[in-house]
Amino acid sequence: MADSSIVTLGPGRSLLVDSSVYDSRMAETSKEQFFMGLHADETEDALPRVETRVVLVGEAGNMAELEKALQDINTPCIKTDNVRDFGDGENCEFETVFVLKDFQAPEYSFLYKNDNRILGPPAVMHCASKGEPLPFSSRPLFSMTMLNLSLCFTGFRKKDEVVTLVNLVHHMGGTIRKDFDSAKVTHLIARSTHGEKYRLAVCMGTPILTPEWIHKAWEHKDDINFHASNEEFRTEFKVPPFQDCVLSFLGFSEEEKTNMEERTQKHGGRVQAVGDERCTHLVVEENSIKELPFTPSKRLYVVKQEWFWGSIQMDARAGETMYSYEKPESPAMKKAVSLLSLTTPNSGRKRRRLRETLAQLTKETEISPFPPRKRPSAEHSLSMGSLLDISNTPDTCKSSGENAKPPKSSTPALPKQSARWQVSKELYQTESNYVDILATVLQLFKYPLDKEGQVGGPILAQEEIKTIFGSIPDIYEVHTRIKADLEELVMNWSEERSVGDIILKYSKELVKAYPPFVNFFEMSKETIVRCERQKPRFHAFLKINQAKPECGRQTLVELLIRPVQRLPSVALLLNDIKKHTSDDNPDKVTLEKAIESLKEVMTHINEDKRKTEGQKQIFDVVYEVDGCPANLLSSHRSLVHRVETIALGDKPCDRGEHVTLFLFNDCLEIARKRHKVITTFRSPLGQTRPPAQLKHIALMPLSQIRRVLDIQDTEECQNAFALVVRPPTEQENLLFSFQLTAEDTLKSAWLKTLCRQVANTICRADAEDLIQSTDPDSVQVSTKDMDSTLSRASRAIKKTSKKVTRAFSFTKTPKRVLQRAFMANGTPDERSPGPDADHMGRMSSSSTLAAVHSPSMMNLSSAFERKYHTFSRSTTHLF
């Protein structure tokens, strides 16, 4: 397919698409003047200037916004219903541009055959919005939906389909290239995942899309603000990695095979049984399959499982060549097998060659020059260069133990050392293993996830990467230096050398590095599990890297738990070293200090962990309560207690509402149960939270609680209490009454806890003096008939009344304004709080509390107040 960035207008004429704003005659004139050596200003008067005019055809002439757009760019226009009146469009005075709303109409075919310039209304309005003149294009241009996009096609077999797609791309302002040029092609349109163009696009990171992307973009052609390169729109049409692939799996467990088959279908592929002729790929578990059960055909790709997971990770089909499965047989292996059959008694040289061959095949490293230890705890330790801990690689340990012979070299063998040296060497070896594990975590997992320009885009968001790995780089840096110091100590050993000084030297850095990771380890683990479940590319990334020998068949979570276990392990080894240190050795005191410093680090971690868990509880409250104020989140605040209650009055919510009280060390969050649960929240990172079950009512500082009332239990009132509250915006005390609903919540213990927090807030030592016992009648509180049919009906009527009032309210007068109006109409005694008002809020006897105004509507007239407050208690009080 020819390159269309240059279009030919006829013999001797060529212009750049969408770049020249002059008509063809002006272009010819300029070229003739150039070849004749003339300047434009010399012939300006000799040749008349050709102006551009626009002809609005059919329905385009009825578009007022189109006419206004042409006026904005000072372009004259005329309207017509018959384009044949303009003949072939050639005119010496004007360069005519036809604007059509329908590129399928007969008028379009007529104009196209006569090589007229054709534009769509969106193209004109786009130019007007940018303040640019009309574009010059030899092809019909309907919109700018694909402006500046250059497309290439691959995998198509039907020519008619390609022609249709090419025309649509041109109509939307895009260009087509026959060959894949990574510097110019912006998108590859593919029908299959085969071919050189597809492979180049994968390597260069060029988006690979299905033809449906073009058709869907054409549906948005009338929207001048829409562009087909929008990433959110484009993602829907990505070519799946296993499109046109038929996969079969060999050597996997049933669970793993089922998982891989499901992911194959999810990513556009199909699954068939092993040996089926329709299969294009056979994915083999290379560690368990030594020989294929049949001879594969030439067109069948036999690949390792890394190809499968790599394709999902890249979100594109990976190349099969580098993942091709081969039988585990090589000339070196054949040589080793032949050597194994030798049984001649005098074949010492051959046996040495056998050992060398086996060592080369297994890629064993040289064993540590240290002599073998006698301590049982160190019998199965690995070599100094080994990566993984001894507890997780018994096979490796066994092989290392069997072959742990010092190599022959010019360095003399070290003499037998003391038990103190043996334990110190063990400390160094475990430290070396630990540092290697941290290096594996960083090099195999963190750094690749942080890498920019990943094929298919970032696998994880930066926030998720930070949550998973935390301060691992800082921990790695500290322990790398500890390892270097221990290595120098062991290699230049003397009994006077101090092991404890090394730990003391880095104790402050350990305090800084460990708490941020250990405290959030559970969150790190949860993030890994969630991302692996929700993000297929991350799941594939883990599968690829966890299968590498550096990981020792351990998962990322299992590797990340090592920092949590390391400090206690070091403390135990230091204790062991101290046991083998003589009393006159100065290092004994130093070791005791080092052990204490590690205990301080672990104590600091535990304290920070408790604080972290407290902060997490506050976040849980914020997520659970819809509309919870953001200022609830504070570094000094902690959740003390939570109780479930039922409101008994009309404050702070309607009677009978299920209310949850969150007691913090300085405030009280009051929330009611939602009547209608909102939909599930989904964050931009893909994280899903459960819907909020509660609705925020009030966040009240504990300093506003003047008294806590322990309401005595009677036949009509059970397990109730009340709070006498004085908000700064109110002129009188309010009464909040509740009934405890949880059977495991003891009222006396809850009230004591509440009063203790209130006393701490207002700096009072007499917390118990805040509690006052009173009878329910004195405060007009009752728990009778809370779950009766009449009570539920009255609450439903009240809610409906509120909805109707809000729906038909025209003034939207705030409740506080209404209360002030009622106060203005009351008696002078009712309006004025008087000098004893504050004293009334602190009365200590139940008889005086009875004189306080009703808790539900304190500022309203008493008749209305009594009727409103006792509505749900008895129908005899309604009138």
Side-chain angles (χ1 to χ4, degrees):
M1 193 172 293
D3 188 346
S4 62
S5 61
I6 303 296
V7 295
T8 303
L9 304 180
R13 294 192 296 169
S14 66
L15 292 174
L16 290 176
V17 172
D18 302 328
S19 60
S20 176
V21 298
Y22 299 100
D23 55 73
S24 56
R25 292 178 179 78
M26 291 301 296
E28 281 190 75
T29 304
S30 300
K31 292 185 68 175
E32 289 174 0
Q33 291 172 1
F34 175 79
F35 286 114
M36 294 174 62
L38 299 177
H39 296 286
D41 53 358
E42 296 178 6
T43 59
E44 186 175 2
D45 298 331
L47 294 175
R49 183 178 180 84
V50 179
E51 296 184 359
T52 300
R53 69 175 179 181
V54 173
V55 178
L56 305 181
V57 181
E59 296 181 5
N62 300 326
M63 300 176 62
E65 63 273 19
L66 183 58
E67 294 185 46
K68 184 179 183 304
L70 292 170
Q71 293 175 2
D72 293 342
I73 56 177
N74 299 319
T75 302
C77 67
I78 57 177
K79 302 178 183 179
T80 183
D81 290 329
N82 188 7
V83 295
R84 298 182 184 274
D85 296 341
F86 292 86
D88 58 1
E90 293 291 334
N91 190 295
C92 298
E93 299 179 3
F94 297 99
E95 173 70 15
T96 306
V97 179
F98 296 89
V99 179
L100 283 79
K101 192 175 180 180
D102 184 9
F103 274 24
Q104 302 295 326
E107 292 82 0
Y108 170 84
S109 301
F110 174 81
L111 295 172
Y112 181 74
K113 289 178 181 179
N114 286 280
D115 295 329
N116 288 289
R117 289 176 60 185
I118 307 173
L119 297 178
V124 176
M125 289 187 285
H126 174 85
C127 294
S129 65
K130 301 291 184 181
E132 300 172 351
L134 297 179
F136 183 87
S137 175
S138 63
R139 297 190 180 93
L141 180 64
F142 189 87
S143 67
M144 303 296 187
T145 306
M146 288 191 172
L147 184 64
N148 298 326
L149 299 187
S150 181
L151 276 60
C152 186
F153 292 84
T154 185
F156 290 84
R157 297 182 179 180
K158 298 180 181 179
K159 183 178 180 181
D160 294 342
E161 182 184 9
V162 176
V163 171
T164 300
L165 294 172
V166 168
N167 287 335
L168 291 179
V169 172
H170 287 152
H171 291 345
M172 292 184 284
T175 58
I176 305 295
R177 291 190 173 273
K178 181 179 180 181
D179 300 321
F180 187 88
D181 187 342
S182 59
K184 297 179 181 179
V185 174
T186 60
H187 297 79
L188 178 68
I189 310 301
R191 270 294 185 198
S192 71
T193 56
H194 301 273
E196 182 181 357
K197 292 181 180 179
Y198 180 87
R199 190 62 50 219
L200 287 173
V202 171
C203 295
M204 302 305 299
T206 303
I208 306 172
L209 307 175
T210 62
E212 286 71 22
W213 174 62
I214 298 176
H215 291 291
K216 201 67 177 180
W218 179 248
E219 294 179 8
H220 293 79
K221 62 183 182 299
D222 294 318
D223 186 359
I224 63 173
N225 297 317
F226 174 81
H227 199 272
S229 63
N230 180 275
E231 186 172 357
E232 184 177 353
F233 169 77
R234 186 188 67 192
T235 303
E236 182 182 350
F237 304 98
K238 294 180 68 174
V239 174
F242 299 134
Q243 180 169 300
D244 294 337
C245 295
V246 182
L247 277 59
S248 57
F249 301 93
L250 179 64
F252 299 94
S253 65
E254 285 300 321
E255 182 181 358
E256 186 69 12
K257 182 180 177 182
T258 302
N259 177 35
M260 298 175 79
E261 289 176 350
E262 291 176 354
R263 294 185 181 275
T264 299
Q265 296 171 355
K266 183 178 179 181
H267 289 84
R270 292 179 293 155
V271 178
Q272 292 294 339
V274 175
D276 194 294
E277 295 181 355
R278 293 169 291 181
C279 288
T280 59
H281 294 76
L282 174 62
V283 183
V284 178
E285 211 293 319
E286 61 274 16
N287 296 320
S288 60
I289 298 300
K290 302 304 179 184
E291 189 172 351
L292 298 178
F294 63 94
T295 302
S297 62
K298 293 183 178 180
R299 70 178 190 88
L300 178 66
Y301 292 105
V302 182
V303 292
K304 303 175 184 178
Q305 62 172 327
E306 190 175 353
W307 171 85
F308 178 83
W309 296 115
S311 299
I312 296 178
Q313 178 187 329
M314 295 190 302
D315 205 12
R317 178 181 162 189
E320 291 82 4
T321 305
M322 62 186 300
Y323 300 106
S324 180
Y325 171 81
E326 295 179 359
K327 294 174 65 175
E329 185 175 284
S330 62
M333 177 62 73
K334 292 180 179 179
K335 182 179 179 181
V337 172
S338 64
L339 289 172
L340 286 172
S341 63
L342 297 175
T343 57
T344 308
N346 299 324
S347 58
R349 184 183 304 173
K350 294 182 179 180
R351 280 195 291 269
R352 284 197 300 271
R353 290 173 57 190
L354 171 61
R355 286 197 298 269
E356 293 173 0
T357 302
L358 292 176
Q360 181 180 2
L361 290 174
T362 56
K363 298 182 180 179
E364 291 181 348
T365 58
E366 290 293 333
I367 305 301
S368 168
F370 302 120
R373 296 166 296 170
K374 294 183 178 181
R375 296 181 68 254
S377 61
E379 281 297 321
H380 300 292
S381 66
L382 295 180
S383 63
M384 292 170 55
S386 176
L387 170 62
L388 297 177
D389 202 333
I390 54 178
S391 60
N392 290 296
T393 54
D395 296 336
T396 309
C397 299
K398 183 177 179 181
S399 63
S400 299
E402 292 172 353
N403 296 280
K405 295 182 179 179
K408 294 182 178 180
S409 64
S410 59
T411 305
L414 293 173
K416 184 177 180 180
Q417 297 287 356
S418 64
R420 171 178 158 84
W421 180 84
Q422 298 283 357
V423 186
S424 300
K425 184 188 67 169
E426 182 179 354
L427 174 62
Y428 164 70
Q429 288 178 326
T430 57
E431 186 70 17
S432 178
N433 294 340
Y434 178 59
V435 170
D436 288 341
I437 290 173
L438 295 178
T440 298
V441 170
L442 294 174
Q443 294 170 5
L444 286 188
F445 297 97
K446 186 178 187 302
Y447 295 156
L449 290 173
D450 280 330
K451 186 178 179 181
E452 296 182 357
Q454 300 175 33
V455 178
I459 297 175
L460 293 180
Q462 282 298 319
E463 294 81 0
E464 294 169 328
I465 298 175
K466 188 174 181 180
T467 301
I468 292 173
F469 297 100
S471 58
I472 287 289
D474 299 330
I475 296 174
Y476 172 72
E477 182 180 351
V478 175
H479 281 275
T480 300
R481 285 182 280 159
I482 293 176
K483 172 192 170 183
D485 289 354
L486 288 175
E487 182 177 4
E488 192 276 333
L489 179 140
V490 173
M491 297 299 293
N492 301 283
W493 177 258
S494 69
E495 292 296 324
E496 292 75 22
R497 297 292 298 271
S498 175
V499 180
D501 280 339
I502 297 176
I503 304 301
L504 288 175
K505 178 181 177 182
Y506 297 101
S507 61
K508 293 183 179 179
E509 296 182 46
L510 294 175
V511 171
K512 293 180 181 178
Y514 270 91
F517 179 81
V518 177
N519 293 339
F520 290 93
F521 174 70
E522 290 300 323
M523 187 180 297
S524 172
K525 186 167 64 173
E526 291 171 2
T527 304
I528 293 174
V529 174
R530 174 179 54 80
C531 291
E532 187 175 7
R533 183 178 63 253
Q534 297 179 353
K535 301 188 176 185
R537 295 181 60 207
F538 181 63
H539 177 78
F541 173 80
L542 292 181
K543 283 289 186 181
I544 293 172
N545 290 286
Q546 289 172 174
K548 294 181 179 179
E550 295 94 320
C551 290
R553 298 183 180 180
Q554 296 181 89
T555 65
L556 177 58
V557 173
E558 292 171 338
L559 294 175
L560 287 177
I561 203 173
R562 297 305 182 85
V564 180
Q565 303 168 339
R566 182 56 186 166
L567 292 185
S569 175
V570 173
L572 291 175
L573 287 171
L574 291 180
N575 265 315
D576 205 359
I577 295 174
K578 191 179 76 168
K579 290 179 183 178
H580 296 89
T581 303
S582 61
D583 294 338
D584 58 346
N585 193 324
D587 193 33
K588 189 150 191 172
V589 178
T590 309
L591 284 169
E592 291 178 354
K593 293 181 180 179
I595 294 170
E596 287 300 318
S597 70
L598 288 181
K599 290 181 179 179
E600 289 179 6
V601 174
M602 291 184 281
T603 302
H604 187 76
I605 289 173
N606 293 333
E607 291 177 355
D608 282 357
K609 189 173 183 179
R610 284 194 292 269
K611 293 180 182 178
T612 302
E613 290 173 352
Q615 293 293 319
K616 187 176 182 296
Q617 288 177 337
I618 299 179
F619 275 102
D620 293 339
V621 172
V622 173
Y623 292 146
E624 187 178 0
V625 179
D626 181 34
C628 186
N631 58 8
L632 178 66
L633 297 172
S634 178
S635 58
H636 71 275
R637 184 167 291 132
S638 60
L639 180 64
V640 178
H641 200 51
R642 166 182 177 159
V643 292
E644 303 294 333
T645 67
I646 295 178
L648 300 179
D650 294 328
K651 294 275 186 164
C653 60
D654 294 336
R655 175 180 168 84
E657 292 275 10
H658 288 265
V659 177
T660 301
L661 302 179
F662 297 94
L663 176 61
F664 295 90
N665 59 319
D666 62 343
C667 62
L668 183 68
E669 166 65 21
I670 306 175
R672 65 168 175 82
K673 186 178 180 181
R674 291 188 63 93
H675 301 144
K676 192 177 290 186
V677 179
I678 59 177
T679 56
T680 302
F681 171 80
R682 182 175 292 275
S683 71
L685 301 179
Q687 185 173 356
T688 303
R689 282 207 307 262
Q693 301 292 331
L694 303 174
K695 177 70 175 179
H696 168 75
I697 297 177
L699 179 61
M700 181 175 62
L702 295 183
S703 58
Q704 295 181 9
I705 299 178
R706 302 303 177 88
R707 190 74 65 187
V708 177
L709 303 182
D710 183 2
I711 301 177
Q712 300 168 2
D713 289 348
T714 63
E715 292 182 359
E716 294 187 356
C717 187
Q718 296 287 330
N719 217 18
F721 70 96
L723 307 177
V724 179
V725 180
R726 182 68 175 275
T729 56
E730 299 291 341
Q731 297 183 3
E732 297 182 358
N733 293 328
L734 303 178
L735 188 71
F736 296 169
S737 54
F738 306 93
Q739 179 189 25
L740 292 172
T741 58
E743 296 180 357
D744 58 345
T745 302
L746 187 62
K747 184 172 72 168
S748 59
W750 154 246
L751 295 182
K752 286 181 181 179
T753 303
L754 173 60
C755 289
R756 171 48 56 196
Q757 299 304 321
V758 173
N760 292 341
T761 303
I762 62 178
C763 301
R764 285 182 56 175
D766 53 342
E768 294 183 359
D769 291 344
L770 293 172
I771 302 178
Q772 178 181 324
S773 179
T774 185
D775 62 282
D777 292 335
S778 63
V779 288
Q780 301 181 10
V781 171
S782 173
T783 61
K784 187 178 180 181
D785 299 331
M786 286 300 300
D787 293 328
S788 65
T789 304
L790 180 60
S791 179
R792 290 194 295 267
S794 65
R795 290 198 297 268
I797 293 172
K798 189 177 294 185
K799 292 174 186 176
T800 305
S801 175
K802 285 185 177 182
K803 292 180 181 179
V804 173
T805 302
R806 287 195 295 266
F808 290 93
S809 175
F810 295 99
T811 60
K812 305 296 182 183
T813 308
K815 182 189 242 184
R816 193 175 302 164
V817 177
L818 290 175
Q819 292 178 351
R820 290 175 180 171
F822 277 113
M823 289 175 60
N825 293 329
T827 63
D829 294 337
E830 290 174 337
R831 290 196 304 267
S832 176
D836 297 331
D838 187 61
H839 175 69
M840 291 177 63
R842 296 177 173 82
M843 288 181 177
S844 59
S845 67
S846 59
S847 60
T848 53
L849 280 171
V852 181
H853 291 297
S854 174
S856 57
M857 298 292 287
M858 304 185 89
N859 298 319
L860 301 182
S861 61
S862 58
F864 180 79
E865 175 182 314
R866 286 194 299 272
K867 181 182 73 171
Y868 186 84
H869 185 66
T870 59
F871 177 82
S872 61
R873 295 175 55 190
S874 175
T875 56
T876 59
H877 297 140
L878 288 175
F879 299 98

